[in-house]
Amino acid sequence: MNMMDDMETKAMLSRSWNGTSSSVGGSSTNHQRRRRPAGKQPPRRQKSIRQDIGRAAAETYLVTHLSFTLLRCLGVGYRWMNRLFALACYAMLLMPGFLQVAYYYFFSSQVRRSVVYGDQPRNRLDLFLPTTSDGQKPVVVFVTGGAWIIGYKAWGSLLGRQLAERNIIVACIDYRNFPQGTISDMVNDVSEGISFVCNNIADYGGDPKRIYLMGQSAGAHISSCALLEQAIKESRGESISWSVSQFKAYFGLSGGYNLFNLVDHFHSRGLYRSIFLSIMEGQESFEQFSPEVRIKDPSIRDAISLLPPIILFHGTSDLSIPSDASKTFADALRGVGAKAELILYEGKTHTDLFLQDPLRGGKDDLFDHIVSVIHANDKEALANDAMAPPRKRLVPEILLRMAHHISPF
């Protein structure tokens, strides 16, 4: 792709996004108008079925628009026609589960959708609340993946639903994607979303002293950048609206943390170098947005000591982001004195851990590990976990196995 083609592509995508953000994301004026005063109890959900269906249609349009934006960005050659066909087959195989999760997302009274946290387009988050209201609940702030291009808060619905069943509140943060924003915009959006949760989650029954940060794929990269940047600001005595000390742990799922090691890999997978450089604001910004590299800088040694325990999860058969990305990050963290744990899942792909395994129901090692960390100091919660019924299967096993083999990720 030459420079002129790249400029034309970004211009075309920018026009597409401008139309989408006004109809779905809302304007900054609407954001300000809908902001809820701190300390006020959240209002009861009073939406008609017609409004719910209208919102579902609008968000379905956004998801479709995101998919075509990605295709136009990457180009439609033979490789991508094959990938598109594989993706369509993959989605159809998992459709029984997707429909059940979508119904929960759009119509459950336990889901607070599109809570405004900032003034930029897509500065919204979804809250997944437990059915019980006895006491303050632990909170997971979740940042979804999507190759920095098609990330969306609704991708966290399955995780939100299942953690809420274990009495854990989940906040899924939406953020600007490329070309609506570049990596610094994404990190700033996520940081502002985290700030909103830290300062307002008590109004929704959350415990501000028991918050956990989690990211998946590109979301793991963005959230780790936000966490490290905040630690650096805090160590320097700069003005901050949230503190890394508020987080009990960080969970990184199938993430990449060193852009220097990933640019060629992504190019070979179809996320072409010119696009990746545009997303990451040029190669000169790689160090700033590579936590694995940045933590080795002696000048931020004080910031490292502020980081919470970091737990990284990765499948050994992940083709989208190789498991070595988590291995080398864990090694680098330990090398500078941070608390880091690496858990590898043999034979698991990029989507197995986040989609197929949760849709399978029953026992899930990743889910059980996360819940055990969150409830580690709560004997009553651990006892309830031990008595919890097996999670419901959402997709037949034969379809899950076929999806595992056909997945383009």
Side-chain angles (χ1 to χ4, degrees):
M1 182 182 294
N2 59 37
M3 183 176 297
M4 185 62 68
D5 290 338
D6 190 33
M7 292 175 63
E8 292 176 355
T9 300
K10 288 189 285 186
M12 174 182 66
L13 294 173
S14 182
R15 289 194 298 271
S16 299
W17 271 109
N18 288 338
T20 305
S21 62
S22 62
S23 61
V24 180
S27 68
S28 60
T29 300
N30 288 337
H31 288 179
Q32 286 290 349
R33 178 169 51 86
R34 297 178 184 176
R35 189 184 296 275
R36 180 178 52 78
K40 185 179 180 180
Q41 291 297 321
R44 290 180 176 270
R45 189 177 176 217
Q46 298 177 338
K47 295 182 179 179
S48 68
I49 294 178
R50 178 179 296 178
Q51 287 174 316
D52 280 337
I53 293 175
R55 177 62 66 84
E59 300 205 20
T60 300
Y61 169 79
L62 174 58
V63 171
T64 304
H65 191 84
L66 287 170
S67 301
F68 280 99
T69 297
L70 176 62
L71 285 174
R72 285 189 290 181
C73 187
L74 298 176
V76 185
Y78 174 77
R79 178 194 299 176
W80 279 102
M81 290 301 291
N82 278 346
R83 292 273 179 90
L84 177 61
F85 179 73
L87 178 60
C89 293
Y90 175 80
M92 289 301 297
L93 290 169
L94 299 182
M95 191 58 66
F98 290 164
L99 291 175
Q100 295 177 70
V101 175
Y103 183 84
Y104 167 81
Y105 177 71
F106 288 115
F107 300 109
S108 172
S109 61
Q110 302 309 122
V111 181
R112 303 289 190 269
R113 287 184 286 109
S114 297
V115 177
V116 177
Y117 69 78
D119 299 327
Q120 295 298 323
R122 297 186 64 175
N123 277 187
R124 300 186 177 198
L125 57 83
D126 294 330
L127 290 171
F128 298 84
L129 307 176
T131 56
T132 61
S133 57
D134 52 333
Q136 291 185 317
K137 317 293 185 185
V139 181
V140 171
V141 180
F142 182 63
V143 184
T144 65
W148 302 275
I149 299 174
I150 58 170
Y152 187 48
K153 57 187 172 66
W155 300 165
S157 301
L158 180 57
L159 178 72
R161 171 182 173 176
Q162 294 182 336
L163 285 177
E165 291 173 351
R166 295 297 184 89
N167 231 18
I168 299 168
I169 294 176
V170 178
C172 290
I173 296 177
D174 204 12
Y175 53 91
R176 285 171 287 176
N177 284 199
F178 181 80
Q180 192 179 30
T182 54
I183 185 61
S184 60
D185 299 315
M186 301 176 202
V187 172
N188 289 337
D189 285 354
V190 166
S191 184
E192 188 164 357
I194 292 172
S195 175
F196 178 90
V197 174
C198 289
N199 291 293
N200 295 277
I201 200 60
D203 294 342
Y204 297 89
D207 187 346
K209 297 179 180 178
R210 288 189 294 165
I211 305 179
Y212 299 78
L213 180 60
M214 180 176 180
Q216 187 264 342
S217 191
H221 168 249
I222 297 168
S223 57
S224 63
C225 287
L227 184 67
L228 180 58
E229 181 64 29
Q230 193 73 5
I232 293 172
K233 290 180 179 179
E234 193 168 341
S235 68
R236 293 172 177 170
E238 298 180 21
S239 176
I240 55 174
S241 60
W242 61 277
S243 171
V244 294
S245 64
Q246 293 177 263
F247 286 89
K248 305 289 286 184
Y250 171 81
F251 304 121
L253 176 58
S254 306
Y257 311 95
N258 187 334
L259 301 182
F260 294 98
N261 293 343
L262 292 173
V263 59
D264 290 333
H265 173 76
F266 286 142
H267 183 81
S268 69
R269 296 280 298 171
L271 183 55
Y272 302 125
R273 179 184 295 272
S274 58
I275 298 171
F276 189 71
L277 290 176
S278 296
I279 295 172
M280 300 303 165
E281 302 172 5
Q283 191 161 344
E284 62 273 13
S285 297
F286 275 16
E287 182 174 346
Q288 180 183 354
F289 296 108
S290 294
E292 180 184 320
V293 177
R294 200 174 185 191
I295 60 174
K296 299 175 183 177
D297 182 351
S299 67
I300 65 167
R301 187 173 302 167
D302 291 340
I304 305 303
S305 63
L306 300 177
L307 294 175
I310 294 173
I311 307 174
L312 305 178
F313 307 94
H314 221 119
T316 60
S317 295
D318 191 331
L319 299 180
S320 295
I321 301 179
S323 58
D324 281 348
S326 288
K327 290 180 185 177
T328 56
F329 187 37
D331 289 341
L333 286 165
R334 296 187 193 110
V336 295
K339 297 179 181 178
E341 181 181 359
L342 172 65
I343 301 176
L344 297 176
Y345 295 90
E346 192 65 33
K348 298 295 186 180
T349 67
H350 197 67
T351 54
D352 279 336
L353 296 173
F354 186 62
L355 279 178
Q356 285 97 285
D357 287 352
L359 290 171
R360 180 173 283 110
K363 182 175 175 57
D364 181 343
D365 290 339
L366 170 63
F367 179 83
D368 291 343
H369 190 101
I370 291 173
V371 171
S372 68
V373 171
I374 295 172
H375 287 161
N377 297 316
D378 188 335
K379 292 183 179 180
E380 182 179 352
L382 289 173
N384 291 335
D385 292 338
M387 299 289 290
R391 291 183 304 158
K392 179 183 176 183
R393 175 185 286 275
L394 302 180
V395 177
E397 184 63 27
I398 187 171
L399 298 184
L400 290 169
R401 292 187 180 184
M402 293 171 66
H404 170 89
H405 290 292
I406 203 173
S407 173
F409 302 106

